[in-house]
């Protein structure tokens, strides 16, 4: 077991060294945190000679957020929370002294202020700072010493946060524009798998309750992937402000994510159309014998396969080869348009009751047209991006 874990750790390090993925980002963040914490400890312990120097490295590590933008905001909120907590302790401590009653009052006020929405995730730090300040306050013997100790807490926090921000800004500042692509990759891969399975079921005529439930489960995974893709896009956008790496020639093309947002919006709408299609297939009558529907379902399966091919390209989207991929998608979109027209012609040829609300034919045809619109829009957006 130990050997297996060592091998797993070695493989993890190998991936961190060879590829710029999650492993490398994690390793860089750990090393930066160690650097910031060490520098903060040295300043607090060796230069300031603080009695409680641990507050500085703790604060430095806290600023190591996923993006510079978030680091700045988290730091501002954290500093504000600490200042509020220390101020509460100072006000109550100097008025009531370091006794149990004063601790209760400090706790009530600090925990109440922790709920302040402006502090966000750093709200609990109000109580942490207040309790730590109470401990320091109680250990001092004079009012002057107590005031100096409370002030030193704030100073240590400022030292740690300042060093942490400098390290995060100057040492491989995180630029997560690839997060936008990664989110689209996952979403498109889930859509590709769902479309492929739907095509298989439609071609074989298997639209049973079990198969429909399988599609609904896959549809839920696709919807979850939409949320993940949007989160990745937001991370990518927030990595740009204050980041000096965006000025480098290699990254100047990523100053905006409008195209990614347009593609994600189109895919998200396509996901909803797929969900509607799955619901319509769930209403299928196994005893249907009035109309000849098999050719239409085969045409629908072919159309789904053409959409699957487009999703496959999006799942492997790479900004470095976008021109070739955009051309490939344009050809696939044309093939999907022909498949859609064949579906419409087949439904008309066999006189399927498209206006009959009790049967799924009409809804399926409408959803097919809407799916084509969203996939075509996605291809057009990527083609415009490649041309630009």
């Amino acid at each position: 077991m130990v050997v297996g874990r060592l091998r797993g750790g070695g493989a993890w390090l190998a991936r961190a060294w060879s590829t710029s993925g999650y492993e490398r980002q994690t390793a860089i963040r750990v090393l930066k945190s160690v650097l910031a914490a060490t520098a903060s400890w040295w300043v607090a312990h060796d230069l300031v000679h603080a009695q409680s120097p641990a507050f500085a490295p703790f604060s430095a590590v806290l600023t190591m957020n996923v993006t510079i933008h978030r680091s700045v905001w988290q730091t501002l909120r954290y500093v504000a929370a600490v200042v509020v907590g220390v101020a509460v302790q100072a006000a109550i401590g100097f008025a009531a002294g370091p006794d149990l009653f004063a601790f209760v009052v400090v706790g009530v006020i600090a925990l109440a202020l922790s709920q302040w929405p402006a502090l966000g995730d750093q709200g609990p730090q109000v109580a942490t700072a207040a309790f730590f300040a109470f401990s320091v306050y109680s250990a001092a013997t004079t009012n002057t010493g107590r005031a100096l100790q409370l002030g030193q807490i704030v100073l240590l926090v400022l030292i740690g946060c300042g060093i942490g921000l400098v390290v995060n800004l100057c040492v491989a500042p995180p630029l997560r524009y690839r997060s936008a692509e990664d989110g689209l990759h996952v979403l498109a891969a889930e859509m590709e798998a769902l479309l492929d399975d739907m095509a298989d079921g439609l071609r074989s005529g298997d639209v049973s309750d079990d198969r429909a439930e399988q599609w609904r489960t896959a549809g839920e995974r696709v919807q979850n992937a939409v949320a993940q893709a949007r989160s990745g896009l937001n991370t990518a956008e927030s990595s740009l402000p204050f980041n000096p790496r965006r000025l480098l020639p290699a990254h100047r093309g990523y100053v905006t994510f409008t195209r990614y947002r347009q593609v994600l919006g189109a895919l998200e709408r396509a996901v909803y159309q797929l969900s509607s299609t799955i619901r319509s297939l769930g209403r299928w009558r196994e005893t249907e014998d009035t109309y000849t529907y098999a050719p239409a379902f085969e045409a629908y399966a072919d159309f789904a396969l053409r959409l699957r091919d487009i999703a496959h390209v999006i799942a492997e989207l790479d900004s470095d080869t976008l021109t070739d991929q955009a051309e490939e998608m344009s050809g696939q979109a044309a093939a999907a348009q022909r498949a859609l027209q064949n579906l419409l012609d087949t439904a008309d040829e066999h006189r399927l009751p498209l206006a009959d609300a009790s049967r799924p034919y009409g809804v399926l045809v409408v959803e097919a047209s809407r799916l084509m619109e969203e996939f075509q829009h996605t291809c057009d957006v990527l083609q415009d991006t490649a041309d630009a």
Side-chain angles (χ1 to χ4, degrees), residues 89 93 97-100 102-103 106 129-139 150:
Q89 162 54 33
D99 56 20
L100 183 59
F103 181 86
V106 168
F131 294 150
F132 190 86
F134 189 92
S135 175
V136 171
Y137 179 89
S138 301
L150 294 179

Side-chain angles (χ1 to χ4, degrees), residues 25 29 66-67 174-180 232 235-237 239 257:
Q25 296 296 333
R29 187 175 178 182
V66 67
T67 66
L175 189 59
R176 297 298 184 87
Y177 62 83
R178 289 291 185 183
S179 296
T235 297
E237 289 179 324
S239 72
F257 291 89

Side-chain angles (χ1 to χ4, degrees), residues 281-356:
L281 290 171
R283 295 166 43 213
W284 176 251
R285 294 181 177 182
E286 295 184 357
T287 58
E288 175 69 78
D289 57 7
T290 307
Y291 300 95
T292 304
Y293 59 85
F297 271 21
E298 290 181 3
Y300 209 106
D302 182 63
F303 173 65
L305 288 176
R306 303 287 79 76
L307 297 184
R308 180 207 60 183
D309 293 340
I310 297 175
H312 176 74
V313 178
I314 300 175
E316 298 181 346
L317 198 66
D318 189 339
S319 57
D320 296 330
T321 58
L322 181 58
T323 300
D324 294 338
Q325 290 178 316
E327 292 180 359
E328 181 181 359
M329 289 178 62
S330 295
Q332 292 173 344
Q337 292 282 9
R338 292 191 294 270
L340 174 61
Q341 187 59 52
N342 180 57
L343 169 62
L344 298 176
D345 293 341
T346 302
D348 182 65
E349 177 184 351
H350 293 278
R351 301 183 181 278
L352 297 182
L354 303 183
D356 187 347

Side-chain angles (χ1 to χ4, degrees), residues 11-28 178:
W12 190 95
L13 292 174
R15 290 193 298 271
W17 179 264
S18 60
T19 60
S20 59
Y22 169 78
E23 291 84 358
R24 178 178 294 181
Q25 296 296 333
T26 301
I28 291 175
R178 289 291 185 183

